[in-house]
Amino acid sequence: MIMVIIPPMQRLTIQRQAILDLINSSNRHWDAEEVNRELSDRGQSVGIATVYRGLTALEEAGLIEGIQFYDRKRYERADKSHHDHMLCTVCGHIEEFSHEKIEALQEAIALEKDFEMTGHQLVLFGLCAVCRNASK
Amino acid sequence: MIMVIIPPMQRLTIQRQAILDLINSSNRHWDAEEVNRELSDRGQSVGIATVYRGLTALEEAGLIEGIQFYDRKRYERADKSHHDHMLCTVCGHIEEFSHEKIEALQEAIALEKDFEMTGHQLVLFGLCAVCRNASK
DNA sequence: TGTATAATGATAATGGTTATCATTCCACCC
DNA sequence: GGGTGGAATGATAACCATTATCATTATACA
Ligand SMILES: [Mn+2]
Ligand SMILES: [Mn+2]
Ligand SMILES: [Zn+2]
Ligand SMILES: [Zn+2]
C-alpha cells in the first residue's frame, strides 16, 4: 500500500526551482494543475508531468510539504511549523491550526496500540466563518 | 468542493440489501471493488456502478460509514461508535482507535477558529506491530 | 570533449469514480 | 389484475488526477 519508489532528487533544475519559488512565495496550498497554470501565466511554463515529478521530488527532499486532501494532493511551504487543516466544504477555504495536545495524544495512542507512527493526517470539514454567515 | 448531489434513497433493493448485509456481517473496511467481487463470489453479483451508487446511498442514509483513505473510499458498519484509524503503510492493515480527548480538542479548536465543524478525518500512518517486527 | 545519467515534455495509459441511457423493477392508482 | 411514472439497475463510456513511456535535452564530471 502507498508504496511509491521515489528516486532521490539529484538536480534542482530551473523547472523545479520555479516550482519551489512559487510555493515558497505564497501561503497557498497548491495542486499540480494550479502550479502548472500559474507558471504558464508567468511565462515560465513547465510541463504537467514535470510539475508532478517536481512536486514529488521536492517533497521527498523536504523542501515542500504535501497534504492529501479530499481528492487531490496539495503542496505548501515547508518552512512553517507542523500544523493541520480545516477545509470549508462550501468555498474550499483552508484554515490552518496546530494543537500541541492533539499531537501528543496521537503519539500516546500509537504507542499504546504498538503502532509505529510515521505520519498523520487530520482534517476538519465544515463551514468557514464567511460561508456560515452567508448561509443564514 | 466536495459537492455531490445525492438523491435520498427510496428503496432498499435486494442489491443494496446485499451490500448492507455484507458490510454489516464483518469488521472490514470495504472498497467498492471488494464488495463487487465478494458479492460475485457469493453468487449474488451486483454491477459495479450499482455498488458505487448503493454505497453512496447507504452512507447517505446513515446505514454504513464511509471513510476516505489514501486513494480510495472505504465503508464499514455504522453500528460501531465513532472512531478513527491507523493505517499500516506496509500491509494495509487498519487498526481502529477512539480517543475522547482528541475529539473534544477538535471541537474546541473549531470553535476557537469560528469554524462550524461537520466532520473530521484523522488517520495515523505507520507500521503495525506485525510489520515492524518483520522489518527488523 | 565525450559519456553516462537525470530530467524534461508530449502523450498514452491507469485506476477509481461518475455519467449516460436503455431496460427493468416497483409502489401506487384505477 | 393491468397501467403508469419514478427509481434503480447494469453495461459501458466518460472523467479526472496521476503515473508510465519514451524520445529528446540538459548536466555533471571523467
Ligand atoms: Mn497548511
Ligand atoms: Mn473503522
Ligand atoms: Zn467557506
Ligand atoms: Zn502492517
Side-chain angles (χ1 to χ4, degrees):
Chain A
M1 319 257 110
I2 316 183
M3 290 288 87
V4 185
I5 294 161
I6 305 164
M9 178 168 59
Q10 314 243 346
R11 301 179 195 152
L12 191 50
T13 61
I14 44 176
Q15 288 89 347
R16 290 175 178 183
Q17 188 67 60
I19 296 168
L20 181 58
D21 289 347
L22 175 63
I23 291 173
N24 274 337
S25 69
S26 82
N27 278 309
R28 290 182 48 185
H29 302 78
W30 300 81
D31 69 21
E33 185 268 334
E34 288 166 350
V35 169
N36 177 252
R37 188 151 33 77
E38 180 64 23
L39 290 180
S40 291
D41 290 352
R42 296 184 182 193
Q44 42 186 340
S45 165
V46 173
I48 185 65
T50 302
V51 169
Y52 274 102
R53 280 182 303 229
L55 289 169
T56 302
L58 290 168
E59 180 187 20
E60 206 273 336
L63 298 174
I64 58 175
E65 193 75 27
I67 326 119
Q68 179 70 39
F69 276 105
Y70 171 64
D71 61 349
R72 47 162 54 61
K73 190 155 189 180
R74 292 185 172 276
Y75 297 85
E76 65 178 319
R77 288 161 40 201
D79 61 352
K80 302 195 249 187
S81 55
H82 171 77
H83 58 269
D84 293 300
H85 299 91
M86 302 178 183
L87 173 62
C88 177
T89 51
V90 172
C91 72
H93 173 72
I94 293 169
E95 182 100 29
E96 306 183 333
F97 71 93
S98 62
H99 203 298
E100 274 301 315
K101 213 81 180 273
I102 292 178
E103 302 287 324
L105 290 174
Q106 286 173 21
E107 298 284 352
I109 194 102
L111 196 67
E112 183 185 311
K113 295 276 184 182
D114 201 15
F115 186 84
E116 183 178 327
M117 181 165 65
T118 57
H120 73 265
Q121 159 141 12
L122 173 59
V123 180
L124 309 187
F125 302 100
L127 278 81
C128 72
V130 173
C131 289
R132 176 153 44 138
N133 289 333
S135 73
K136 71 177 181 199
Chain B
M1 320 259 111
I2 315 181
M3 290 287 89
V4 185
I5 295 160
I6 304 163
M9 177 167 61
Q10 314 242 346
R11 299 178 199 153
L12 191 49
T13 60
I14 43 176
Q15 289 88 347
R16 291 176 177 182
Q17 188 67 60
I19 296 169
L20 181 57
D21 289 347
L22 176 62
I23 291 174
N24 274 338
S25 69
S26 81
N27 278 310
R28 291 181 46 184
H29 302 77
W30 300 82
D31 68 21
E33 185 269 334
E34 288 167 350
V35 169
N36 177 252
R37 187 152 34 76
E38 180 64 23
L39 290 180
S40 291
D41 290 352
R42 296 187 181 192
Q44 44 187 336
S45 168
V46 174
I48 186 65
T50 302
V51 169
Y52 274 104
R53 280 182 302 230
L55 289 170
T56 301
L58 290 167
E59 180 187 20
E60 207 273 336
L63 298 174
I64 58 177
E65 192 76 26
I67 326 119
Q68 178 71 38
F69 275 104
Y70 172 64
D71 61 348
R72 46 161 55 62
K73 190 153 190 182
R74 293 184 171 278
Y75 297 85
E76 65 178 320
R77 287 161 40 201
D79 62 354
K80 302 195 249 187
S81 53
H82 171 76
H83 59 269
D84 294 299
H85 299 91
M86 302 178 183
L87 172 62
C88 178
T89 51
V90 172
C91 72
H93 173 73
I94 294 169
E95 182 99 29
E96 305 183 332
F97 71 92
S98 63
H99 203 298
E100 274 301 317
K101 212 80 179 277
I102 292 177
E103 302 286 324
L105 290 174
Q106 286 174 21
E107 299 283 352
I109 195 102
L111 196 67
E112 183 185 313
K113 296 275 183 183
D114 202 14
F115 186 83
E116 183 178 327
M117 181 165 66
T118 56
H120 73 266
Q121 159 139 15
L122 173 58
V123 181
L124 309 187
F125 302 100
L127 279 80
C128 73
V130 173
C131 289
R132 176 152 46 138
N133 289 334
S135 71
K136 70 174 182 200

